[in-house]
Each structure stands twice: as structure tokens, then as C-alpha cells.
Amino acid sequence: MILDNINSPADVKKLTISELETLAGEIREALFNRLTKVGGHFGPNFGFVEASIAMHYVFDSPKDKFVFDVSH
């Protein structure tokens, strides 16, 4: 599993496009497994997987900061 080998944003930058797609699937599976046990909303989490990966791939996180507004 690719997700098991991600320890920092630098690890994401080393992945190929195909591996990034696999990573997105693994993250969705992990979210699904967690949410089916503890409850929660699936849509917002599933909808932001690729965006989160892309942000860590493109930007220099954690040096570049991200701010998320959930509009609550």
C-alpha cells in the first residue's frame, strides 16, 4: 500500500501520477472504513481527496500553509 509509506509531504512529491491515483483510492478506502465505524459525512471528505493530494504535491507544505474554511 502506498498510503503506508507516506510519512511527510515530501513522500507525496516522489510519486508518479499513477501512484497518486492509487493513493487517492487508498485514502478513500481508509476514510470509508473509519466513517463506517464512527459515523460522519462521506461526501465532503471523499470530494476533497484529490485536491488535498494535489496541494501537497504542488506546494511546499508544511512551509506553505493551507487554511480550510468549512463554512460553519
Side-chain angles (χ1 to χ4, degrees):
M1 284 188 60
I2 294 173
L3 184 56
D4 290 340
N5 296 314
I6 303 296
N7 296 303
S8 74
D11 295 331
V12 174
K13 291 181 181 295
K14 296 175 188 175
L15 300 176
T16 65
I17 298 300
S18 177
E19 290 171 326
L20 292 172
E21 292 172 0
T22 301
L23 176 62
E26 291 177 9
I27 291 171
R28 277 203 181 81
E29 183 177 344
L31 285 168
F32 180 80
N33 290 336
R34 173 84 174 147
L35 291 169
T36 56
K37 292 177 181 146
V38 299
H41 299 282
F42 286 77
N45 295 320
F46 279 21
F48 207 69
V49 170
E50 281 86 0
S52 297
I53 291 170
M55 289 170 69
H56 287 293
Y57 189 81
V58 172
F59 294 104
D60 187 17
S61 61
K63 179 184 167 198
D64 293 332
K65 306 294 184 204
F66 305 138
V67 176
F68 297 96
D69 180 357
V70 295
S71 299
H72 284 110

